Amino acid sequence: MGSIPTGARVYVACVVLAALACLAPPPAVHASWWIVALLAALYAGCERIPFPHSPKGAAARVAERSAPRGLGTFLPVLLAGAFLLPPPAAALVALPGALLARVEQRPRWLRRVWRAAQLAVAIWAASRVHWALGGQDAIAAPHFPSALVPAGAAVLTFCVVLTALDGGILALAERVPVRGAWRGLFSRSLASVAVHGLAGLMMAVLWRSPYGPVAALLVLLPMYVSCWAFAQYHRERAAHQATIRALVQAVDIKDGYTRGHSERVGQASMMIARELGMDDERVEVLRFAGILHDVGKLGVPTRLLRKDGPLTPEERRIIELHPEYGHEMVRGIGFLGEARSAILHHHERIDGSGYPYGLVGRQIPEFARVVAVADAFDAMTSTRSYRRARPVGAALAELERCAGAQFDPGMVRALVRALDRHGWHPAVTAGVYPPAPPVSSRTETNPTDKTGSPTSTDGCPTGADGSLTGMDRGPMGSGGPSAGVGRESAGADGASAGVDRDRMGTEGQPSGVGWESMGGDPPVGGVGGRGRS
């Protein structure tokens, strides 16, 4: 309970009070309580009806765990109640089913109460609009098209109220930026709510027809089939994620020094994307990009990934092929979309000195610019076998210093804002290692790395992994890392020279940041703010 922000609790309490006000019937309202009881029981039953299980197997079991287990919020029944009943009675239909619904995340009671109050308010508003436009008489009229206008207005109202309340809980419980909390919610919901509204209207018309309630219930059969198809989509999506997880685990086995890196990069990429206001679909694809950015290391000889000493120029060139290897490996995976370009270009630099193609500025795909910043940030803040993790504040200072030369300044600013808002608490590290020598302060100077190579001319890291100042195994200098072949200097994060282990980082567990509209996990506390300690 302590993980739920106070503001979110107050917001839920206000919505509950609004729902209670909606349930209070005016003296002139007379409802058919047997219809209320029947629709409420039907809705509660739809909330509990399970779907048929898929054939079992390893991948099927993974997908089954993530797929919806039943019809969930079955809107046709609720909207039929809005069309058939006065507003207070229509709002009452949602309560038993919402309060008895399956809830996986804790606190279960609060999530149930929230969903019941949200649906009650939305259904009350829809019924109010429907009755105000004469919808009650239109349903009973002999000409069915006359019922479409009030029903359409009611469905539109229901969708507006539902998404407005959802955006509020996203902003308060998940701490999504206010400017992005409501973005895309209405447009993504309208089509499905409209389809459910049409089914609800058919139920209401048949209910009032000579055929009666039994005929109206037949409308639910095709809706059950459509919901089952939707559950299959969720299973397919879970199978996609299992595929990605298997690829990341393969890279992790090949180069265990940076275990946890890829999924932390995915999490940091999501934080940047949300701060930029990307819609949920692009955020999810960008998470895939961060997780799979180093999958091309499966094509790099293991002896190079695990080599203890400096890499030769030829070995460095081989490792720098891993973005192209990765792009070829995922080329045929359609659901990755823009993630494929991020896998190919996440080592490009804004100044054009990156690889594989030396793209400049906005020529670099947006997803690649996001992943480059996330990759470099995790490289610096993760413990490796040869050094300790750097403080979050020091890593952000390096990113800001190299913004405009190596990194997109907009992406760096977005990461800074996201960390100020949520903090950073990586859930997985590369392992337990002996204590590393303390990292020198930024005031020290060291114009060469351990190989004696000169520093880069712009003072930013020349490592292929985006490793920043002092990320080679030698001391850190204020002028930036050298262009030598230290293992970290060509890591998985950024520009173009050495090939350090940090560059090879690949995977792990993401650190959660908040709720998903009261349906996801509570926010995970971590290093507060930028952690400049």
Side-chain angles (χ1 to χ4, degrees), residues 452-531:
S453 303
T455 57
S456 58
T457 58
D458 61 4
C460 290
T462 57
D465 59 351
S467 28
L468 301 175
T469 303
M471 293 301 288
D472 59 332
R473 298 196 191 186
M476 179 180 70
S478 61
S482 62
V485 292
R487 302 226 1 151
E488 178 122 16
S489 55
D493 303 329
S496 64
V499 184
D500 199 53
R501 286 188 202 252
D502 209 63
R503 182 72 187 109
M504 310 305 177
T506 307
E507 81 190 3
Q509 294 295 113
S511 59
V513 186
W515 280 11
E516 286 288 341
S517 184
M518 294 287 287
D521 296 327
V524 175
V527 180
R530 294 175 63 168

Side-chain angles (χ1 to χ4, degrees), residues 299-336:
V300 175
T302 304
R303 63 179 177 81
L304 296 185
L305 298 180
R306 298 183 178 180
K307 184 176 180 180
D308 290 329
L311 297 168
T312 66
E314 178 61 29
E315 290 172 335
R316 187 172 68 249
R317 282 192 292 271
I318 292 173
I319 289 186
E320 287 177 356
L321 291 174
H322 82 269
E324 295 173 276
Y325 291 159
H327 184 258
E328 286 300 317
M329 291 172 65
V330 303
R331 182 191 294 273
I333 305 179
F335 70 87
L336 288 179

Side-chain angles (χ1 to χ4, degrees), residues 245 248-253 255-268 287 290-294 297 374-375 377-379 381-384 424-431 433 492-493 501-502 504-511:
R245 192 176 303 113
V248 173
Q249 287 173 348
V251 179
D252 192 39
I253 291 172
D255 182 17
Y257 283 96
T258 51
R259 180 167 297 131
H261 172 68
S262 288
E263 293 207 29
R264 290 194 301 269
V265 171
Q267 178 63 25
R287 184 176 75 89
I291 291 174
L292 291 175
H293 73 285
D294 274 342
K297 289 176 183 175
D375 194 11
F377 173 75
D378 184 70
T381 57
S382 300
T383 297
R384 297 293 182 260
W424 180 246
H425 189 190
V428 177
T429 62
Y433 303 108
D493 303 329
R501 286 188 202 252
D502 209 63
M504 310 305 177
T506 307
E507 81 190 3
Q509 294 295 113
S511 59

Side-chain angles (χ1 to χ4, degrees), residues 208-370:
R208 294 298 189 192
S209 74
Y211 299 102
V214 175
L217 297 181
L218 295 178
V219 176
L220 298 180
L221 182 59
M223 294 305 300
Y224 176 82
V225 174
S226 67
C227 289
W228 173 82
F230 184 68
Q232 291 299 104
Y233 159 77
H234 275 273
R235 292 188 179 98
E236 181 180 354
R237 185 172 178 270
H240 291 166
Q241 294 180 347
T243 300
I244 290 173
R245 192 176 303 113
L247 288 171
V248 173
Q249 287 173 348
V251 179
D252 192 39
I253 291 172
K254 190 162 188 174
D255 182 17
Y257 283 96
T258 51
R259 180 167 297 131
H261 172 68
S262 288
E263 293 207 29
R264 290 194 301 269
V265 171
Q267 178 63 25
S269 298
M270 284 179 63
M271 295 173 70
I272 295 173
R274 285 174 174 161
E275 203 63 38
L276 295 173
M278 292 185 185
D279 60 56
D280 289 347
E281 184 176 351
R282 295 192 76 209
V283 169
E284 181 72 359
V285 174
L286 186 51
R287 184 176 75 89
F288 291 156
I291 291 174
L292 291 175
H293 73 285
D294 274 342
V295 70
K297 289 176 183 175
L298 291 174
V300 175
T302 304
R303 63 179 177 81
L304 296 185
L305 298 180
R306 298 183 178 180
K307 184 176 180 180
D308 290 329
L311 297 168
T312 66
E314 178 61 29
E315 290 172 335
R316 187 172 68 249
R317 282 192 292 271
I318 292 173
I319 289 186
E320 287 177 356
L321 291 174
H322 82 269
E324 295 173 276
Y325 291 159
H327 184 258
E328 286 300 317
M329 291 172 65
V330 303
R331 182 191 294 273
I333 305 179
F335 70 87
L336 288 179
E338 293 180 82
R340 293 183 293 241
S341 65
I343 293 170
L344 179 61
H345 296 295
H346 69 279
H347 287 307
E348 304 284 1
R349 289 175 52 124
I350 297 297
D351 61 10
S353 62
Y355 66 88
Y357 299 127
L359 301 183
V360 178
R362 295 288 175 175
Q363 294 177 347
I364 304 171
E366 182 181 27
F367 275 27
R369 285 180 273 134
V370 171

